Amino acid sequence: MLLENQHTEFKSSFNDAVIETVSAFVNTKGGKVYIGVDDLGQPIPNFSIGKESIQNWINEIKNKTQPGIITDIEPLIIQGKEIICVSVHEFPIKPVAFKGRYYQRVNGANHQLSSQEVADLHLKTYSSSWDYYPSPHYDMDSISLDKVAQFIDLANQIREVKIQDEPLKVLRKFELVKNDNQIANACHLLFSKNEVFDATISIGRFASETSIKDSLVVRTDLFNEVDITLAFLKKHINKNYIITGDPQRKEKWEYPLEALREIVINMVVHRNYQSAGDAIIKIYDTKIEFYNPGKLENGLTIADLQAGTYTSYARNRKVADIFREAGIIEKYGSGIQRITNAFISYGLQEPVFEEFQNGFRVTVFNNSNNNTNNLGINEGLNEGLNEGLNEGLNSMLTAIIHNPGIQAKQLSDILGARPLKTIERQIKSLTDKGHIERKGSKKTGGYWKVEN
């Protein structure tokens, strides 16, 4: 049974609404419009197809779209009645207009694109992005070559073939400066010697929803922006000291720092810098909210992000390329999974990812909301730590505490692809030490009981 969705639409007759949907399909991933059916996809009575109807519809769709779309139209028989199927593939040159307007298919509906979305879609067609194009407001005089030299030093730390060129030549090689000495938007964002108002991040430490204890406005180049933002976060989150069997005590931050860093880097790389709004970080007693201008693109959904079933696209490809050259990011597309796994292995709730007010928001939580419920668990964990568990066993025990039904393969995934043999050995060690006990059958969905 057919259902209306991202790639399927039902229409009772041929009209402009059909052509609008066809134009939305070609600007997304293609699709099919079934004509002569009701909202449930069932054939309607009295639907008829004239002798010249199909050819006339093909011509009308071509004439009302720009560039003109050539569709595949064929009759089908459903429940003994003839209907029409109009099918199209994704168009290589986008966007395609219908009567001067542009549409994309989003969550099973036609979404009319704004002028900004039209421009972005056009840039993607040519495998480009806004940050690649010349800045209309800034020139070489606004660029710090000392900052470029610092980038070269970072890149040379991880490159096999070292960069030997002087800074200006490097900017040209990376296409951050054009032949006529125009600088790209990315060049301004990355190496400006002045404040970068386009990249403002407003950060606040809140005592309540309306009371701010401390705040900071960051308006610098993107490299320093990451470091300054992380420094402010560290200033306002707690750090505990864990007593182990080792001579030195171990530090444990309230949140996994590597995950916070990943979130901040994602904000910088994927932000819509053409938006007038600021990026905003709110630090509360129990959580941190990271808001970034710019919604998900290319029909990408939150579910796709969490499942990892998508092809990653960097909104600012030049910024992403330079960050990768400097070793700040490794590759596109795996950040969400790394962030989630880091929080799980830290014994914390999974972050919440959501589209919010024309942007994207990540909310992370500490253990404050669970202190009462998990008191016995935490006491047992501290007791185990005091008995001298090493870091590997500590992270293993934390993961089991918060996921009592977890299997060894899943533990491997959330503990940074720790080898399965190591997982099994550490489970045995925790069992032998009396910290955990297996209840129920592995085959029928047993669970781990943590001994306090």
Side-chain angles (χ1 to χ4, degrees):
M1 179 181 176
L2 290 173
L3 296 173
E4 286 189 323
N5 56 34
Q6 183 78 353
H7 307 288
T8 306
E9 179 91 351
F10 298 147
K11 296 294 183 185
S12 59
S13 61
F14 180 86
N15 51 32
D16 277 357
V18 171
I19 307 177
E20 177 190 298
T21 298
V22 167
S23 72
F25 281 151
V26 299
N27 285 330
T28 317
K29 298 294 183 182
K32 295 181 178 181
V33 182
Y34 293 89
I35 304 173
V37 296
D38 61 20
D39 290 343
L40 298 177
Q42 301 298 310
I44 60 174
N46 304 322
F47 176 73
S48 61
I49 305 168
K51 187 176 181 180
E52 303 294 332
S53 292
I54 290 180
Q55 189 57 51
N56 290 338
W57 292 350
I58 290 174
N59 291 336
E60 187 172 349
I61 293 172
K62 180 181 178 182
N63 292 334
K64 289 185 176 180
T65 53
Q66 182 61 40
I69 301 171
I70 304 298
T71 56
D72 292 324
I73 300 183
E74 59 178 342
L76 299 176
I77 302 297
I78 295 182
Q79 299 176 11
K81 295 183 180 294
E82 190 174 41
I83 68 167
I84 290 295
C85 176
V86 181
S87 61
V88 290
H89 298 286
E90 182 178 2
F91 206 68
I93 306 298
K94 293 188 281 290
V96 172
F98 164 62
K99 287 188 172 181
R101 294 184 174 89
Y102 300 88
Y103 299 87
Q104 270 192 317
R105 193 73 171 172
V106 178
N107 297 328
N110 300 334
H111 164 67
Q112 185 174 345
L113 300 179
S114 66
S115 58
Q116 183 59 62
E117 290 171 322
V118 170
D120 289 343
L121 189 57
H122 180 71
L123 289 175
K124 292 173 194 171
T125 296
Y126 296 97
S127 298
S128 188
S129 58
W130 167 84
D131 62 333
Y132 172 83
Y133 283 83
S135 169
H137 306 296
Y138 303 98
D139 55 29
M140 276 302 304
D141 290 340
S142 68
I143 297 304
S144 167
L145 295 182
D146 288 340
K147 291 183 178 181
V148 180
Q150 292 170 9
F151 155 69
I152 295 171
D153 290 340
L154 282 175
N156 282 340
Q157 291 177 22
I158 60 173
R159 287 174 65 102
E160 291 185 9
V161 179
K162 307 303 182 186
I163 298 174
Q164 303 292 340
D165 299 314
E166 49 85 23
L168 183 56
K169 191 172 183 179
V170 169
L171 291 179
R172 293 188 188 280
K173 283 189 173 181
F174 281 102
E175 297 182 293
L176 294 172
V177 173
K178 312 300 180 182
N179 290 331
D180 54 2
N181 275 342
Q182 281 188 301
I183 67 169
N185 288 308
C187 190
H188 164 65
L189 293 172
L190 291 161
F191 303 117
S192 175
K193 66 174 67 168
N194 304 311
E195 288 188 316
V196 185
F197 286 86
D198 319 61
T200 299
I201 298 180
S202 297
I203 318 174
R205 173 60 172 101
F206 286 74
S208 67
E209 289 290 338
T210 56
S211 174
I212 299 179
K213 297 168 63 175
D214 191 11
S215 64
L216 178 68
V217 177
V218 186
R219 294 190 181 114
T220 185
D221 64 87
L222 301 190
F223 286 105
N224 282 310
E225 191 167 70
V226 171
D227 293 335
I228 293 171
T229 299
L230 286 169
F232 190 86
L233 286 169
K234 290 173 69 175
K235 175 183 176 183
H236 289 288
I237 63 176
N238 295 324
K239 178 171 62 174
N240 297 319
Y241 293 96
I242 299 172
I243 307 301
T244 70
D246 298 327
Q248 292 185 330
R249 60 186 182 177
K250 291 183 178 294
E251 295 180 352
K252 184 172 182 179
W253 290 90
E254 187 176 5
Y255 299 90
L257 293 184
E258 71 276 12
L260 298 186
R261 178 178 176 81
E262 187 80 37
I263 293 170
V264 172
I265 290 171
N266 279 347
M267 290 179 70
V268 168
V269 172
H270 295 291
R271 176 174 176 172
N272 179 4
Y273 287 100
Q274 297 171 84
S275 170
D278 294 348
I280 299 171
I281 300 175
K282 296 181 178 181
I283 307 168
Y284 297 96
D285 290 341
T286 61
K287 65 182 180 179
I288 306 176
E289 295 178 356
F290 301 83
Y291 168 78
N292 211 34
K295 287 189 172 183
L296 297 175
E297 300 182 296
N298 295 344
L300 194 62
T301 66
I302 301 296
D304 293 333
L305 284 179
Q306 294 174 322
T309 55
Y310 64 96
T311 300
S312 181
Y313 176 87
R315 189 191 304 271
N316 303 291
R317 293 185 63 185
K318 277 296 171 186
V319 170
D321 287 344
I322 296 301
F323 268 38
R324 187 170 52 194
E325 285 285 339
I328 296 175
I329 60 175
E330 294 179 2
K331 57 183 178 179
Y332 305 150
S334 58
I336 297 298
Q337 291 94 327
R338 288 200 300 271
I339 292 165
T340 299
N341 290 342
F343 272 85
I344 293 174
S345 63
Y346 218 65
L348 298 177
Q349 176 182 335
E350 292 186 20
V352 174
F353 304 96
E354 58 188 330
E355 291 194 308
F356 177 77
Q357 295 182 350
N358 294 315
F360 188 78
R361 184 168 69 179
V362 181
T363 305
V364 300
F365 303 89
N366 59 26
N367 262 330
S368 298
N369 291 326
N370 300 319
N371 281 344
T372 300
N373 295 334
N374 291 334
L375 181 59
I377 290 176
N378 289 334
E379 287 176 349
L381 177 58
N382 288 334
E383 179 182 346
L385 291 173
N386 288 333
E387 290 179 12
L389 291 184
N390 62 33
E391 185 174 351
L393 291 178
N394 176 13
S395 60
M396 168 78 72
L397 182 57
T398 302
I400 291 173
I401 285 171
H402 291 272
N403 303 274
I406 198 166
Q407 301 296 318
K409 177 62 172 65
Q410 295 169 303
L411 281 168
S412 175
D413 292 338
I414 70 173
L415 293 173
R418 191 175 296 177
L420 195 56
K421 287 186 177 180
T422 303
I423 294 288
E424 292 170 348
R425 186 175 65 252
Q426 291 175 334
I427 286 176
K428 184 178 185 304
S429 178
L430 288 173
T431 304
D432 292 344
K433 291 175 182 291
H435 294 297
I436 59 175
E437 179 184 357
R438 186 71 186 182
K439 297 291 185 179
S441 168
K442 293 181 179 179
K443 293 184 178 180
T444 57
Y447 65 95
W448 291 106
K449 179 183 177 183
V450 178
E451 302 294 344
N452 294 333

